[in-house]
Amino acid sequence: MACASTSIIKTEESSLPTLHNAEKVLAINEWRLLGRLSVRNMRQSWFTTLEWNHRKGIDDLTLSTSLGGVVAKILYSKQGILLTDEEGVLQHVSEEELASLLGYSAPLKHMKYWVRGVLSPEFQGPSSREYLDDTVLFEQGGWNVQLERFQTYGEVVLPARVTLIKEDLKIKLVVDKWWMEK
C-alpha cells in the first residue's frame, strides 16, 4: 500500500494477548498482511503466498505462486464473492462454488477475525480459549483454531502463525508482514 496513512509496524516478540487486545484489534478498520498459506487434506496439499487487504468491510485476497504468478484473486464482502482466476476471468461465485474451485472450503467470513487473534462475532454463545505455553487454542463453528508466535504491532498483539483444522482439512497461515492504519 503506497498510502501515507499506513506503515509497516513490527516490534519485538510479545507475550500472549491481553483481554483489552481484542478491542484494540477490532478498532483497526484497515489492515494488510503478506504471508504464506498452506492447505492440506487427505488427498492433496497446496502452497501459495497470500496478500490480504482488509478495508471497510471488504476483504481482497490475492493467492500467488512463489514466483509471483497470480493463482486467484478473491474479493469478499457482504454483497458476495468475486473471483478472478489465473487467466483474468472475473466471476461472481457462491461459497459452495468457491470451495469447488479451490478444492477446499475456506471460512472466509471468520478468518478475518481469526488471523488477527480474536474470536469471530458471527458465532453466538460462549467460546472458551485455552492457553498452552505460547499458544492460544479455541473452537468455533467446528474449526479448531491455533494461534502462535505472537508479536506486538503498534499497540496490538497479533499472531504470526494461524492454524485452522476441521475434519481432514488443515489451513496454515504464516504472516511475514502486517500493515495497519495508524
Side-chain angles (χ1 to χ4, degrees):
M1 293 174 66
C3 182
S5 65
T6 60
S7 61
I8 297 175
I9 304 171
K10 184 172 180 177
T11 58
E12 73 285 344
E13 288 198 21
S14 175
S15 59
L16 296 176
T18 64
L19 292 175
H20 299 292
N21 190 65
E23 294 171 6
K24 291 178 184 177
V25 168
L26 293 173
I28 298 170
N29 294 318
E30 295 186 23
W31 50 269
R32 177 179 173 215
L33 70 78
L34 291 176
R36 294 163 281 141
L37 183 70
S38 68
V39 180
R40 185 175 54 200
N41 64 24
M42 297 294 279
R43 297 175 303 279
Q44 299 176 332
S45 63
W46 304 266
F47 181 79
T48 185
T49 58
L50 172 67
E51 179 179 344
W52 188 335
N53 292 290
H54 174 86
R55 62 193 178 286
K56 299 178 184 163
I58 299 172
D59 289 283
D60 185 358
L61 293 83
T62 301
L63 305 170
S64 304
T65 66
S66 59
L67 298 176
V70 174
V71 175
K73 290 185 177 189
I74 301 168
L75 189 66
Y76 179 82
S77 71
K78 289 182 181 180
Q79 285 73 38
I81 303 170
L82 290 174
L83 174 70
T84 305
D85 66 18
E86 58 192 16
E87 288 147 15
V89 176
L90 176 69
Q91 56 184 317
H92 187 264
V93 296
S94 67
E95 288 189 31
E96 294 79 20
E97 290 170 320
L98 181 64
S100 176
L101 292 168
L102 293 177
Y104 62 93
S105 180
L108 290 176
K109 66 182 173 182
H110 310 297
M111 284 179 66
K112 65 184 172 191
Y113 299 103
W114 297 341
V115 298
R116 295 179 292 153
V118 298
L119 297 170
S120 173
E122 302 285 329
F123 293 106
Q124 302 299 321
S127 293
S128 63
R129 297 177 121 193
E130 295 180 34
Y131 297 88
L132 179 64
D133 297 322
D134 293 333
T135 303
V136 175
L137 306 163
F138 61 88
E139 185 273 330
Q140 281 195 303
W143 288 91
N144 292 309
V145 180
Q146 181 175 324
L147 310 172
E148 300 175 277
R149 296 186 189 164
F150 288 89
Q151 296 182 342
T152 301
Y153 296 85
E155 295 182 1
V156 298
V157 178
L158 298 170
R161 184 163 65 185
V162 178
T163 304
L164 309 173
I165 300 171
K166 184 174 187 178
E167 298 168 3
D168 70 342
L169 180 63
K170 183 176 186 178
I171 301 171
K172 185 181 286 189
L173 171 64
V174 176
V175 179
D176 296 318
K177 294 181 185 177
W178 282 98
W179 288 266
M180 304 206 179
E181 178 90 17
K182 278 190 172 180

